[in-house]
Amino acid sequence: MDTLRATLGEGAVATGPDAARWSNDWTGQHEWTPLCVARPADTAGVASVLAAAREAGVAVVPVSGNTGLAGGTVAEGAVMLSLDRMNRVRDINAKARTATVEAGVILSHLHEATAPHGLTFPISFGAKGSAMLGGMLSTNAGGSGVLRHGNTRDLVLGLEAVLPDGRVLDAMTALHKDNSGLDLRHLLIGAEGTLGVITAAVVKLAPLPLARATAMVAVRDLDAGLALLNRLQAASGGAVEACEYMDRTFMRAHAAHFPDAARPFIDDHDVTILIELASTAPRDATPGLDGQVPLAGHLETVLGEMLEQGLMRDAVVAQSEAQRGAMWQRREAAAEVITTRKPVVITDIAVPLDGVATFLDCMAARLLRIDGGAVPVAVAHLGDGNIHYAVWPSDAALKDAITEAVEDEVLALRGSFSAEHGIGTAKLDSMRRRKDPVALDVMRAIKAALDPDDLLNPGKLIPPR
Amino acid sequence: MDTLRATLGEGAVATGPDAARWSNDWTGQHEWTPLCVARPADTAGVASVLAAAREAGVAVVPVSGNTGLAGGTVAEGAVMLSLDRMNRVRDINAKARTATVEAGVILSHLHEATAPHGLTFPISFGAKGSAMLGGMLSTNAGGSGVLRHGNTRDLVLGLEAVLPDGRVLDAMTALHKDNSGLDLRHLLIGAEGTLGVITAAVVKLAPLPLARATAMVAVRDLDAGLALLNRLQAASGGAVEACEYMDRTFMRAHAAHFPDAARPFIDDHDVTILIELASTAPRDATPGLDGQVPLAGHLETVLGEMLEQGLMRDAVVAQSEAQRGAMWQRREAAAEVITTRKPVVITDIAVPLDGVATFLDCMAARLLRIDGGAVPVAVAHLGDGNIHYAVWPSDAALKDAITEAVEDEVLALRGSFSAEHGIGTAKLDSMRRRKDPVALDVMRAIKAALDPDDLLNPGKLIPPR
């Protein structure tokens, strides 16, 4: 710690009560006591922390916004390396549509910085006001924009990282094509800080839409939800930005938790879809003779057809940015609403696009056999096949059996038991039992090759043999 | 070889004259004599070849279409492992827009197989009639569709590979989100067969466009070319599929090599752009009162503005699929046209999007100092910043100095000396001298961890220390 204070400055190393805010994750599921929290202001500082910790044989756990859901920043007795002071947007190149950002930049700050250029970093999720780019890169964060724009990794052109031995890997390019060797960028993205500490990146920006059309739609069933997505994609030429599913239980729980929030429908429905189209083409944003923009026209046409065919029960189209905001607030409150009731089993699974209904049906039957009193509650990024399937069991002792059943059903559909939240410590056991053993061995070999002393975020992501 | 014959069958192992077609690359720059060519029909066969070769301590060089440009299949004294018999499209899932393909599937066969479903695998390049998916994945092939659809790696959901030790890595998922561990898929894609032999993949398909608008446009300079791209993106909401640059020398050389090909313009121009828009939205494909589809309207509006502003010299819009085909044939003949004259220096570089003109200007000045008689010829995927910059020097002895100068200029712009063709053996020297030494060390560590005996495609991609 003396070395760290001497290198980084007195104020850049927190201990004791000053380190308290880095001693747990926001869900309250994980608590720990770090040795200290080092807060370097630049890449050289990060390198010096890693070198000093290696010298002392102490583990280092990188952290940025600390909004993760898988316990990836648990740091008992370790040096926490916080990137929060590396919070500069170094550059915005509007012509090339790129931004150069440091790991401590908060997602919503990046949105604010790019908006005046008519551009945005097209990823968004509930924690956007505190999540930082470093953590988003290290966990390959997903969210609601993946359907159109891809995961975080798909939006990264270049990056800079400090390796376990303290050396800096400089891959800060803004290139759209680069086939010079193994793709180390993709290896570091999603590695949850086990192979290196990402300090900065060059990310792609997308033009801000000129027009949006957003609706809450109650449909007959999940097949009708997929039909809504596919018909809108066809009609608009692929302009759907988000297609989010909320089940009846979630809608009711939201209404109970936020009694003042206006409810979209008078009746309750099994399947509610939040769907949003967006376009950057002027013709989509230019009101016609009826005062309506063409993008909204696609939405109304498809909704009209589905109503006639008995596929749709009800729909509300947002008439203002405020109404649109309220629709998104409901969806983005999912984590908060679902964790209001305890005990709770939370999952983050992915299945092929046409497997969501199958999964939910099979699980409903299975859950009945495990726990007749259990209440499932599901929200999903339907367009990505990514379901946040949760269960409120009647007895906490049944949690493991329920998780087990979920994973069985997911693997039967060749799905993933961790779609967007990562592994951290929370899913290490699933990782050991569920992941292809050959893949695990390859991961272990890579980790051992790059971090032979196992000092960088040890005990995360890759289960020991 | 006896082991291989016993395992794979007599006809699946070629030697001597039967192996001749696997003894060189198509450019004629690389020749070799393989020990034999093993042609397994399935993944188990691939695994048995790797296991047998490892047992015997013999190197294995995987090959599929053998259309690479970097000598990645040089196999002197090695067992060549040809994937050409693994040529099944196992499945096309139109609803989920995916195809499951084996490594020996030829790109144009995949295009033919998906077209009846209204879908396509949106990558195309000159060698599409013989290039196979395995090689495309192993080299992360680019081409003309990258601007809109990304590189090959961006279109892969899952894959299967046989590791150097003969074990099969099964990552054959069709998931859009999967954060369960290190991303081994991206590590194997672009690894040029040094870490494993990719045997099959699940790839994303895109809807076939309902309308296209294609033009050859002579513009004032490269800045005007970029303006054309940006204005069309803005007007169409991002519907540009390709933006290809051809310089004056290339246009003349093409005319000389194909004297019967109709020339797009009477005059010669410095900067010719092949631009193509495409849309899957019915409204873009429905002719208006003037008989024109709206997509073509965007093109004509932007071209009209640029003509008025003095940015455009001439333009021809394709009026039929035949005319469109002729435009693409000219661009896709680039490798053939450029290699007609010898000696030749061929490069495959990438710079940030706004760096193409800077690169060409700086190189022109530099080339004059190196070789007053040298003739540069350039075609580029302008929308990706990827330039195939070639030079016909007056003296073959100057080739190295020219390559050196190109790489200097590229690195000054933080570009890449290998954008889409990869490293193979041809660019190993550049890789050793130009790549970040920290990145090289990481690559060596990974290679050593996964292939400790250095038997899988040795001497490619990663230069020895």
Side-chain angles (χ1 to χ4, degrees):
Chain A
M1 274 188 276
D2 289 342
T3 312
L4 292 181
R5 287 207 176 90
T7 318
L8 304 179
E10 200 64 32
V13 183
T15 52
D18 295 342
R21 56 181 269 224
W22 285 280
S23 300
N24 59 275
D25 74 343
W26 74 270
T27 66
Q29 289 185 291
H30 305 279
E31 292 187 357
W32 60 88
T33 307
L35 184 64
C36 67
V37 182
R39 301 172 59 210
D42 55 24
T43 305
V46 174
S48 69
V49 173
L50 286 180
R54 195 185 183 204
E55 187 73 21
V58 176
V60 174
V61 176
V63 61
S64 55
N66 203 21
T67 63
L69 291 160
T73 55
V74 169
E76 189 60 45
V79 172
M80 288 198 90
L81 197 171
S82 171
L83 283 309
D84 67 304
R85 287 176 66 208
M86 291 189 65
N87 59 3
R88 283 187 311 141
V89 176
R90 289 186 195 162
D91 177 56
I92 293 174
N93 182 339
K95 205 168 158 189
R97 290 185 182 168
T98 58
T100 305
V101 294
E102 294 182 345
V105 171
I106 291 174
L107 175 56
S108 60
H109 291 180
L110 180 57
H111 290 158
E112 288 157 19
T114 54
H117 301 274
L119 297 167
T120 192
F121 182 64
I123 290 206
S124 187
F125 46 77
K128 58 181 176 289
S130 43
M132 295 174 189
L133 267 292
M136 290 178 63
L137 289 157
S138 286
T139 59
N140 183 32
S144 309
V146 173
L147 176 60
R148 188 163 198 176
H149 301 281
N151 294 285
T152 297
R153 71 166 68 253
D154 301 307
L155 297 167
V156 178
L157 295 177
L159 57 74
E160 176 191 84
V162 183
L163 299 179
D165 63 7
R167 290 197 296 171
V168 178
L169 177 80
D170 178 4
M172 283 292 275
T173 61
L175 306 175
H176 290 260
K177 286 179 172 171
D178 183 12
N179 280 346
S180 56
L182 302 178
D183 199 317
L184 304 181
R185 172 186 50 143
H186 279 303
L187 187 64
L188 286 161
I189 296 171
E192 301 189 9
T194 60
L195 301 182
V197 179
I198 297 172
T199 48
V202 182
V203 298
K204 290 191 233 179
L205 303 176
L208 271 174
L210 295 177
R212 283 200 179 92
T214 312
M216 295 284 278
V217 188
V219 290
R220 193 182 63 188
D221 51 25
L222 271 169
D223 272 353
L226 261 190
L228 173 66
L229 169 61
N230 289 337
R231 288 183 192 191
L232 278 171
Q233 290 287 42
S236 65
V240 180
E241 292 263 316
C243 179
E244 301 289 315
Y245 161 63
M246 288 159 275
D247 75 359
R248 181 189 291 260
T249 307
F250 174 76
M251 294 296 281
R252 285 186 179 166
H254 186 280
H257 189 60
F258 296 104
D260 295 337
R263 295 172 64 172
F265 312 118
I266 296 165
D267 299 321
D268 282 325
H269 298 281
D270 282 342
V271 178
T272 301
I273 305 284
L274 166 56
I275 196 140
E276 181 161 286
L277 289 83
S279 172
T280 60
R283 66 184 155 154
D284 286 322
T286 311
L289 295 175
D290 56 357
Q292 192 183 52
V293 301
L295 201 65
H298 297 314
L299 184 56
E300 300 215 343
T301 305
V302 170
L303 292 178
E305 281 170 18
M306 292 188 63
L307 186 64
E308 257 178 46
Q309 292 163 6
L311 297 171
M312 194 183 98
R313 301 281 184 252
D314 206 344
V316 188
V317 177
Q319 301 298 328
S320 66
E321 187 57 29
Q323 286 182 14
R324 174 179 171 257
M327 290 178 181
W328 275 108
Q329 265 174 22
R330 175 173 282 101
R331 172 61 187 85
E332 292 186 343
E336 186 180 340
V337 168
I338 289 171
T339 51
T340 48
R341 192 168 150 182
K342 302 272 167 61
V344 58
V345 174
I346 297 180
T347 72
D348 162 41
I349 60 168
V351 293
L353 295 189
D354 48 355
V356 176
T358 311
F359 169 81
L360 292 173
D361 290 347
C362 293
M363 260 320 290
R366 224 168 139 154
L367 195 57
L368 266 183
R369 295 197 299 271
I370 298 172
D371 178 0
V375 179
V377 51
V379 298
H381 306 293
L382 189 62
D384 310 321
N386 176 195
I387 316 168
H388 295 302
Y389 179 81
V391 177
W392 292 312
S394 63
D395 182 346
L398 294 169
K399 284 174 69 173
D400 285 352
I402 292 169
T403 303
E404 194 78 8
V406 169
E407 291 182 359
D408 284 346
E409 294 299 332
V410 165
L411 290 192
L413 291 164
R414 291 196 75 90
S416 171
F417 55 88
S418 185
E420 59 176 7
H421 297 165
I423 302 299
T425 50
K427 288 189 191 150
L428 215 47
D429 191 50
S430 300
M431 188 75 172
R432 188 178 62 243
R433 294 184 301 117
R434 302 295 190 170
K435 190 76 184 176
D436 175 27
V438 178
L440 283 179
D441 275 352
V442 173
M443 292 179 203
R444 288 179 189 125
I446 292 170
K447 171 71 172 170
L450 302 186
D451 183 19
D453 302 323
D454 197 21
L455 289 177
L456 190 53
N457 215 8
K460 316 286 162 57
L461 190 70
I462 307 167
R465 207 182 301 264
Chain B
M1 272 189 279
D2 288 343
T3 313
L4 292 180
R5 287 208 176 90
T7 319
L8 304 178
E10 200 64 34
V13 183
T15 51
D18 294 342
R21 55 181 269 224
W22 286 280
S23 300
N24 59 277
D25 74 342
W26 73 272
T27 66
Q29 288 185 292
H30 306 278
E31 292 189 355
W32 60 87
T33 307
L35 183 66
C36 68
V37 181
R39 301 173 58 212
D42 55 24
T43 306
V46 173
S48 68
V49 173
L50 286 179
R54 195 186 184 205
E55 186 74 21
V58 176
V60 173
V61 176
V63 60
S64 56
N66 203 22
T67 63
L69 291 159
T73 56
V74 169
E76 189 61 46
V79 173
M80 288 197 90
L81 197 171
S82 172
L83 283 308
D84 67 304
R85 288 175 67 207
M86 291 189 65
N87 58 4
R88 282 188 312 141
V89 176
R90 288 186 195 163
D91 177 55
I92 293 174
N93 182 339
K95 204 168 158 190
R97 290 185 183 168
T98 58
T100 305
V101 295
E102 294 182 345
V105 170
I106 290 173
L107 176 56
S108 60
H109 291 180
L110 180 57
H111 291 159
E112 287 156 19
T114 55
H117 300 273
L119 297 168
T120 192
F121 182 65
I123 290 205
S124 186
F125 46 77
K128 60 181 175 286
S130 43
M132 294 174 189
L133 267 292
M136 290 178 63
L137 289 157
S138 286
T139 59
N140 183 31
S144 309
V146 173
L147 176 61
R148 189 164 197 176
H149 301 282
N151 294 284
T152 297
R153 73 166 67 253
D154 301 307
L155 297 166
V156 178
L157 295 177
L159 56 74
E160 177 191 85
V162 183
L163 300 179
D165 63 7
R167 290 198 296 172
V168 178
L169 177 80
D170 178 4
M172 284 292 274
T173 62
L175 306 175
H176 289 260
K177 285 179 174 171
D178 183 11
N179 280 346
S180 57
L182 302 178
D183 199 318
L184 304 182
R185 171 186 51 143
H186 279 303
L187 188 64
L188 286 161
I189 296 171
E192 301 189 10
T194 61
L195 301 182
V197 179
I198 296 172
T199 48
V202 182
V203 298
K204 290 191 233 178
L205 303 176
L208 271 174
L210 294 177
R212 282 200 181 92
T214 312
M216 295 284 278
V217 189
V219 290
R220 193 181 64 186
D221 52 25
L222 272 170
D223 272 354
L226 263 189
L228 174 66
L229 169 61
N230 289 337
R231 289 183 192 192
L232 279 171
Q233 290 288 42
S236 66
V240 180
E241 293 262 316
C243 179
E244 301 289 315
Y245 160 64
M246 290 159 273
D247 75 358
R248 183 189 288 261
T249 307
F250 174 75
M251 294 297 281
R252 286 185 178 165
H254 186 279
H257 189 62
F258 296 104
D260 296 337
R263 296 172 63 172
F265 311 119
I266 297 166
D267 300 320
D268 283 324
H269 298 281
D270 281 342
V271 178
T272 301
I273 306 284
L274 166 56
I275 196 141
E276 182 161 287
L277 289 84
S279 173
T280 60
R283 65 184 154 155
D284 287 321
T286 311
L289 294 174
D290 57 357
Q292 194 183 49
V293 301
L295 202 65
H298 298 313
L299 185 56
E300 300 215 344
T301 305
V302 170
L303 292 178
E305 281 169 18
M306 292 189 63
L307 186 64
E308 257 177 46
Q309 293 163 3
L311 297 171
M312 193 183 99
R313 301 280 184 253
D314 206 345
V316 188
V317 178
Q319 301 297 327
S320 65
E321 187 56 29
Q323 285 181 14
R324 174 178 172 258
M327 291 178 181
W328 275 108
Q329 265 174 21
R330 175 173 282 100
R331 172 60 186 87
E332 292 186 343
E336 187 180 339
V337 168
I338 288 170
T339 51
T340 49
R341 192 169 150 181
K342 301 275 168 57
V344 59
V345 174
I346 296 179
T347 71
D348 163 41
I349 60 169
V351 293
L353 294 189
D354 48 355
V356 175
T358 310
F359 170 80
L360 291 173
D361 289 348
C362 294
M363 260 320 291
R366 223 167 142 156
L367 195 57
L368 266 183
R369 294 198 297 273
I370 299 171
D371 178 359
V375 179
V377 51
V379 299
H381 305 293
L382 190 62
D384 310 322
N386 176 197
I387 316 167
H388 296 301
Y389 179 81
V391 177
W392 291 313
S394 63
D395 182 346
L398 295 169
K399 284 173 67 173
D400 285 352
I402 292 169
T403 304
E404 194 78 7
V406 169
E407 291 181 359
D408 283 346
E409 294 298 333
V410 165
L411 290 193
L413 291 164
R414 290 196 77 91
S416 171
F417 55 87
S418 185
E420 59 176 6
H421 296 165
I423 302 298
T425 51
K427 287 188 192 150
L428 216 47
D429 192 50
S430 302
M431 188 75 171
R432 188 176 59 242
R433 295 186 299 117
R434 302 293 190 172
K435 190 77 184 175
D436 175 27
V438 177
L440 283 179
D441 274 353
V442 173
M443 293 180 202
R444 288 180 190 122
I446 293 170
K447 171 70 172 171
L450 301 186
D451 184 17
D453 303 323
D454 197 21
L455 288 178
L456 190 53
N457 215 6
K460 316 285 162 58
L461 190 68
I462 306 166
R465 207 180 301 262

